Amino acid sequence: MNSKNVPFYKPQGNEVELFEHAYNNQLPLLIKGPTGCGKTRFIRHMAAKLDRELYTVACHDDLTAADLVGRHLINEQGTYWCDGPLTRAVREGAICYLDEVVEARKDTTVVLHPLTDDRRILPIERTGETLEAPDEFMLVVSYNPGYQNLLKGMKPSTRQRFTGVSFEFPDKQTEIYVLLAETDVDKATAEKLVSLANAMRALKDHDLEEAASTRLLIYAATLIASGLPIQQACKAAMVEPLTDDKETIDALMEVVNALLG
Amino acid sequence: MEERVGEIWHNFITRMADKNYPEAEVKLVDIKKTVGVFFRALGGDGALSVLQTDASEYSSERGLLRRIARSTEKYEFAWLDEGALRLPEVIDYFATKTLNKELYLWLAALSSIPKQSADWLLDNQQRTQLALRAYPGLKALYQRLLNAHLSQRPEIDKISKAERAAEVLIVAALKNPGSVSELPPSKYMPRLVLLWLHPSPPVSQTEVAKDLGDSDNQRSGQEKDATDIGKKQAKRVETPEVARGLITIRMENLFTWGEFANMDRSTDDDEDPDNAKDVAKDLDELAIARNQRASKVQMKFDLDLPSEAMDDEILASGILLPEWDWKTQTLIENKCQVVSLVSSHEQDTQLPEHLKATAKKLRNQFQAITPARTWHYAQNDGQEIDMDAYLKYKTDALAGHSDGKVNLYKSLDSGARDLSCLLLADLSLSTDTWVNDDSRVIDVIQDSLYLFAESLKATGDRFGMYGFSSRKTNPIRIHTLKAFDEPYNGQIRSRIADIKPGYYTRMGAGIRHATSLLKNQVAMQQLLLVLTDGKPNDLDQYEGRYGIEDTKQAILSAKALGLKVFCVTIDEKANDYLPNLFGANGYSLVKKVTDLPKMLPMLYARLTI
């Protein structure tokens, strides 16, 4: 893989160095941050940079340990074993990324335990195998601390096995840089969009469940760059996705009008 | 007859005098939410709610008609105080609805900018400049409002010479904000400027504190014992006007009794200072504050409280809890004292007749949703192979009659839950209000508690139920209705039957105590449900922002301990303050109060499944 294929990522802080150090020392990493702030992009970037295969698992509440480790399947000849993404990553020495790990069932995360301490092993109960993770294998999990189901959270015993890094939305300059790099929008528009996003982020928890993400900003900028008028683009990409409430939509549009002119 | 004629004349002449546009009016209630979001997005404090302002007297020079119409002019100005953004109830100054709405937005935008200067003229100009610079989109809006407003301002040759200079400067200041630094002295205020904020907003506590801080020597004279009426303690006081000199106590300045309270009795204004003095004699503590123009007397009484305290057995007392003071941003340790109570006449009590049918239905529903973790066989996907299904499949295939079914897996679904829930019910005196002809809020809460307990018993989740009320910081009364380790039975029902409204709502303390009870429960998930009928309030400064901020801190620390906090309210105004306290998804408003008993178990189900 050459550098051209490395997905664009603009670091917010020291996360790149941190990731590299964690990787070199075989430590698992926990990434926290609001939705759309660049967690997944960061990991894709790092995987490409370190020239490792990346296995991404989007966790959901029906995700079982078997979905991660693997299970027996059936074909005409009989049963055969099929590796799950985690097992495959361990065998190949790849990076395994569990997105929104809190969504997964509690028992699921327990299979991660022997992998995330100094043993670095993955016992596969059903086949009697015990895989030892090569040095190149790395486990990365992420979750969004802002959005949680009332009853979902990460068990402290699981959390404690990870090194952690918090992501926030990038600061103004970084976010403008990201917009310019990701889309064909001009600098003045990018600046306006970023100040709009920051105004809307002030509404989190009070009027909005979630803050306008960098991802939404990029959507808006993309729409603008492809010719949609700025107000309409903002409505489509930054207002409608955040709320269903008519009054809040109207209010946000007033904010859009006030800031963009 | 005379009255009727007078009324017609009044209406006629005020209509002549007011050049407003009632057909284009925009009401605050209709756009409150929009204005609120707008204000906060522009950097306004999320803890502030949007409220309507009171009319303030404003004496500018007036035309003949206006003078005939009214003796004094009153206007509703916008201003920001420590608790709220205050905007006029209705705006109908302009001919179109759009312009009137835009004026609301403009006033909110101006308010979102921090105070620039103590001088009204400079402050408004600088805020305007900053707003236009920060939000380019407002330029066009301001221009539209400005044009409309300028066309309404009096023509320069129709006003008296004395006011002309001021008028010219005001217009200049509006057109080029920042260009005017001073107005010529005059006995009138300049003609009303719709686009600006309140010329002299009522002073907020924080500002007073700042003023006092700025001039310590002034302050020292004011905290005085009111010696002429015996030993009275005087509280936070106010800068006296220099001309009046230093005084021990001025009765028309009597602002609160006991402690600050929102009971405005402005009609009783200092007609008879002796009365106030008599009242003051009976007090432990007096607080005296500065008045703007007319002095106001505000009083709050320690209301006649039911004697429920007599009925209850004190389980424990002396648990001390901290309280958050937002003004100093510190947590004051050991501020509140908890008294834990349990009803003293416990007997085996049956569920009230009118709830039996509903309770049965709920029990059945809750039993059905009780998640037991079981293997589901013959699934088309699952963690394990279903050996029976596989064997059958294989033998069928060997025998040559495969039916093509491939449901060969088994899966383990819906895990048992490990959940503790504490229901904290507000039992303050406000629950004594009647919701309809047959029941009070407290009755509805009582029914809710019954049905909640019936439902939770069916799920098998561990739960506790507590009630709370308070009278200042001591005591915080915590009524144990059901402790976690007690089984739900007739005894518990008799405690529920025994609840009575009383005292006030020191919600922060209630939540902190509930947190300490709940965090000791061994369970993977701990859920704190708060059931209330209104804002946090108490006799002391807990009314208003203090209470809101303390409650917020209590919730934050509960969340920090890993508890899930959810609020169920029947207060229709809850949307103004609960999002700030519990988060947009952290509460639920039950609009029809009588639905609460049925809604509560359903809400619980929705939250935890």
Side-chain angles (χ1 to χ4, degrees):
Chain A
M1 218 177 269
N2 59 40
S3 65
K4 274 180 195 156
N5 292 332
V6 177
F8 167 79
Y9 181 77
K10 168 87 179 158
Q12 298 177 20
N14 67 343
E15 67 267 24
V16 172
E17 292 80 33
L18 182 82
F19 193 103
E20 279 168 349
H21 283 292
Y23 175 79
N24 292 334
N25 294 290
Q26 290 81 46
L27 296 176
L29 183 66
L30 163 69
I31 297 180
K32 295 176 271 187
T35 179
C37 71
K39 301 187 292 280
T40 305
R41 174 63 70 92
F42 170 63
I43 292 158
R44 282 180 52 214
H45 171 82
M46 291 311 297
K49 206 173 159 193
L50 298 167
D51 199 8
R52 291 283 97 205
E53 194 67 40
L54 177 66
Y55 288 97
T56 302
V57 182
C59 300
H60 53 84
D61 49 7
D62 274 335
L63 189 87
T64 60
D67 290 329
L68 287 179
V69 175
R71 57 184 158 168
H72 283 104
L73 292 176
I74 299 160
N75 61 8
E76 288 73 25
Q77 283 77 47
T79 63
Y80 66 100
W81 173 256
C82 175
D83 279 344
L86 183 67
T87 312
R88 216 170 307 148
V90 173
R91 284 193 210 277
E92 294 172 16
I95 294 174
C96 182
Y97 171 46
L98 307 181
D99 199 1
E100 294 296 350
V101 72
V102 288
E103 289 292 328
R105 289 213 313 232
K106 290 279 152 45
D107 55 329
T108 311
T109 45
V110 176
V111 308
L112 303 176
H113 284 188
L115 258 183
T116 46
D117 52 30
D118 62 334
R119 290 174 285 167
R120 283 173 65 84
I121 51 168
L122 178 64
I124 306 174
E125 199 188 320
R126 290 184 183 84
T127 60
E129 252 182 305
T130 298
L131 296 180
E132 265 190 52
D135 284 355
E136 294 77 27
F137 168 77
M138 181 176 186
L139 181 68
V140 184
V141 301
S142 80
Y143 78 100
N144 174 0
Y147 163 70
Q148 277 181 334
N149 179 298
L150 215 46
L151 295 184
K152 280 181 190 154
M154 212 166 162
K155 276 191 358 185
S157 61
T158 309
R159 289 174 72 110
Q160 291 231 11
R161 290 162 185 274
F162 289 85
T163 55
V165 58
S166 264
F167 275 46
E168 280 306 322
F169 292 117
D171 63 53
K172 249 181 152 164
Q173 291 314 315
T174 313
E175 202 160 32
I176 291 169
Y177 182 90
V178 170
L179 281 190
L180 293 176
E182 289 276 309
T183 68
D184 297 328
V185 86
D186 62 77
K187 186 147 192 250
T189 315
E191 279 170 0
K192 278 188 191 170
L193 284 175
V194 170
S195 62
L196 174 65
N198 282 315
M200 285 168 63
R201 280 166 197 165
L203 299 174
K204 187 176 175 306
D205 291 337
H206 198 295
D207 303 293
L208 295 176
E209 201 180 325
E210 276 272 31
S213 63
T214 307
R215 177 168 44 218
L216 284 184
L217 263 187
I218 291 169
Y219 287 174
T222 310
L223 291 177
I224 292 165
S226 90
L228 202 65
I230 187 162
Q231 253 94 353
Q232 285 178 36
C234 289
K235 182 157 196 262
M238 295 181 65
V239 174
E240 296 284 357
L242 291 178
T243 178
D244 298 327
D245 181 62
K246 173 104 184 27
E247 271 183 274
T248 311
I249 292 177
D250 291 347
L252 290 178
M253 281 316 292
E254 294 294 347
V255 178
V256 170
N257 291 335
L259 267 80
L260 301 183
Chain B
M1 184 62 195
E2 270 173 48
E3 214 171 280
R4 177 92 188 113
V5 171
E7 200 179 300
I8 293 171
W9 164 250
H10 177 79
N11 288 344
F12 168 73
I13 198 72
T14 42
R15 233 189 346 261
M16 291 278 291
D18 292 341
K19 293 193 194 88
N20 291 357
Y21 302 89
E23 67 282 357
E25 72 175 21
V26 176
K27 286 187 182 147
L28 181 60
V29 281
D30 297 334
I31 63 158
K32 201 169 172 178
K33 189 158 184 183
T34 307
V35 172
V37 170
F38 189 75
F39 173 69
R40 286 184 287 274
L42 266 44
D45 191 333
L48 303 180
S49 50
V50 179
L51 295 179
Q52 76 182 55
T53 165
D54 306 320
S56 310
E57 217 168 276
Y58 185 83
S59 43
S60 62
E61 196 192 32
R62 292 175 287 159
L64 180 66
L65 267 177
R66 276 174 174 267
R67 265 179 286 167
I68 296 171
R70 287 190 198 92
S71 57
T72 54
E73 290 278 289
K74 285 199 164 191
Y75 292 101
E76 292 181 341
F77 292 99
W79 87 85
L80 192 70
D81 63 21
E82 62 180 11
L85 165 65
R86 296 182 189 269
L87 293 170
E89 185 185 2
V90 173
I91 290 187
D92 57 358
Y93 299 126
F94 301 124
T96 66
K97 266 188 190 282
T98 320
L99 278 174
N100 287 326
K101 183 182 165 194
E102 285 180 341
L103 182 54
Y104 269 121
L105 295 178
W106 172 250
L107 291 173
L110 271 196
S111 306
S112 74
I113 293 182
K115 189 167 180 167
Q116 300 296 315
S117 157
D119 182 86
W120 167 70
L121 183 74
L122 293 178
D123 185 41
N124 274 299
Q125 290 185 75
Q126 285 171 15
R127 286 192 197 213
T128 306
Q129 276 181 310
L130 289 171
L132 293 179
R133 204 175 304 147
Y135 315 116
L138 288 178
K139 276 182 191 147
L141 182 147
Y142 181 71
Q143 201 54 49
R144 282 195 295 278
L145 288 175
L146 183 62
N147 292 341
H149 180 54
L150 287 180
S151 70
Q152 286 181 343
R153 291 197 75 83
E155 288 168 40
I156 202 77
D157 47 357
K158 285 197 182 154
I159 51 179
S160 72
K161 259 189 188 150
E163 301 310 309
R164 224 171 262 181
E167 178 61 24
V168 169
L169 287 173
I170 289 285
V171 170
L174 280 168
K175 282 183 175 162
N176 294 306
S179 64
V180 180
S181 58
E182 209 178 356
L183 288 181
S186 160
K187 61 175 175 168
Y188 293 114
M189 292 294 286
R191 296 293 176 102
L192 191 66
V193 187
L194 299 176
L195 273 50
W196 287 356
L197 302 176
H198 202 306
S200 50
V203 182
S204 70
Q205 286 188 12
T206 36
E207 278 180 72
V208 171
K210 210 193 302 160
D211 286 355
L212 292 173
D214 289 344
S215 51
D216 271 341
N217 49 349
Q218 273 193 335
R219 183 187 182 189
S220 60
Q222 289 147 46
E223 293 194 24
K224 280 248 170 211
D225 280 352
T227 46
D228 63 336
I229 53 168
K231 275 229 165 101
K232 300 290 161 199
Q233 204 186 346
K235 257 192 77 183
R236 181 188 66 73
V237 284
E238 196 354 64
T239 328
E241 285 164 41
V242 178
R244 288 184 184 167
L246 192 63
I247 44 162
T248 49
I249 183 164
R250 282 182 61 95
M251 279 310 147
E252 69 275 316
N253 280 354
L254 180 61
F255 193 55
T256 71
W257 173 20
E259 290 211 79
F260 179 75
N262 279 350
M263 191 195 272
D264 188 349
R265 296 191 47 196
S266 52
T267 48
D268 288 354
D269 271 358
D270 69 323
E271 292 294 327
D272 184 1
D274 288 336
N275 281 350
K277 188 167 175 171
D278 288 343
V279 167
K281 273 186 188 169
D282 300 331
L283 294 172
D284 298 339
E285 190 179 61
L286 288 180
I288 305 157
R290 169 165 56 181
N291 295 354
Q292 292 291 108
R293 297 187 192 134
S295 59
K296 288 177 180 175
V297 179
Q298 292 202 358
M299 295 189 184
K300 181 152 186 175
F301 307 93
D302 190 351
L303 298 161
D304 187 21
L305 296 158
S307 60
E308 98 196 278
M310 302 300 151
D311 305 341
D312 292 333
E313 194 180 305
I314 294 176
L315 276 184
S317 65
I319 306 163
L320 295 174
L321 292 175
E323 187 162 286
W324 177 259
D325 184 346
W326 72 278
K327 282 179 206 144
T328 55
Q329 296 283 305
T330 47
L331 195 65
I332 304 168
E333 291 296 335
N334 304 338
K335 179 94 189 280
C336 299
Q337 180 156 353
V338 171
V339 174
S340 188
L341 305 156
V342 69
S343 169
S344 54
H345 24 73
E346 287 178 359
Q347 58 214 16
D348 198 19
T349 308
Q350 291 302 310
L351 195 65
E353 273 308 316
H354 69 280
L355 292 176
K356 280 191 172 156
T358 322
K360 184 159 182 247
K361 210 166 92 192
L362 282 169
R363 269 199 307 272
N364 289 340
Q365 281 174 344
F366 273 75
Q367 261 156 8
I369 57 172
T370 307
R373 191 174 195 183
T374 49
W375 283 106
H376 296 251
Y377 292 94
Q379 304 293 306
N380 67 2
D381 194 16
Q383 299 100 311
E384 303 286 344
I385 290 171
D386 179 350
M387 291 310 286
D388 289 342
Y390 181 57
L391 205 62
K392 185 170 182 295
Y393 170 79
K394 274 310 242 189
T395 47
D396 282 358
L398 287 172
H401 46 86
S402 170
D403 56 2
K405 269 193 207 158
V406 284
N407 295 335
L408 305 176
Y409 297 89
K410 59 179 181 177
S411 75
L412 188 62
D413 275 336
S414 358
R417 52 210 221 153
D418 187 9
L419 179 72
S420 286
C421 175
L422 189 149
L423 180 71
L424 181 68
D426 175 358
L427 300 182
S428 65
L429 200 59
S430 55
T431 57
D432 207 12
T433 42
W434 292 84
V435 286
N436 55 30
D437 289 346
D438 329 302
S439 53
R440 296 169 299 164
V441 173
I442 191 79
D443 302 325
V444 175
I445 289 182
Q446 195 167 49
D447 287 355
S448 310
L449 290 172
Y450 279 128
L451 292 183
F452 185 77
E454 292 286 333
S455 310
L456 263 77
K457 194 187 173 202
T459 64
D461 292 339
R462 289 170 59 78
F463 70 106
M465 298 197 295
Y466 292 83
F468 79 103
S469 60
S470 68
R471 190 162 158 243
K472 299 199 203 159
T473 53
N474 185 9
I476 311 296
R477 302 160 56 84
I478 303 283
H479 302 259
T480 306
L481 303 174
K482 178 190 174 302
F484 281 98
D485 44 12
E486 288 174 308
Y488 174 69
N489 54 25
Q491 198 182 1
I492 305 295
R493 281 192 287 269
S494 83
R495 288 186 203 161
I496 297 175
D498 215 29
I499 60 168
K500 293 180 205 71
Y503 305 98
Y504 304 93
T505 319
R506 210 172 192 88
M507 205 183 276
I511 289 175
R512 283 195 185 91
H513 188 69
T515 304
S516 67
L517 292 170
L518 187 54
K519 75 170 182 224
N520 293 328
Q521 291 305 309
V522 192
M524 194 98 92
Q525 306 293 349
Q526 289 145 332
L527 172 63
L528 172 58
L529 267 182
V530 183
L531 180 60
T532 180
D533 68 332
K535 271 189 186 178
N537 88 311
D538 206 329
L539 278 174
D540 51 11
Q541 79 274 34
Y542 212 75
E543 189 88 46
R545 187 154 180 192
Y546 187 96
I548 296 271
E549 297 276 351
D550 175 53
T551 307
K552 185 164 188 180
Q553 287 301 322
I555 293 163
L556 287 178
S557 44
K559 284 184 177 166
L561 287 169
L563 269 54
K564 313 292 172 198
V565 189
F566 195 86
C567 177
V568 181
T569 186
I570 52 169
D571 180 10
E572 283 178 11
K573 294 194 208 90
N575 288 333
D576 290 348
Y577 57 93
L578 282 188
N580 179 41
L581 286 177
F582 291 89
N585 292 327
Y587 73 99
S588 178
L589 167 61
V590 178
K591 285 229 168 86
K592 205 169 150 209
V593 180
T594 44
D595 281 352
L596 182 69
K598 275 183 221 165
M599 292 285 289
L600 189 65
M602 287 304 160
L603 264 168
Y604 177 80
R606 209 184 72 205
L607 287 172
T608 57
I609 285 166

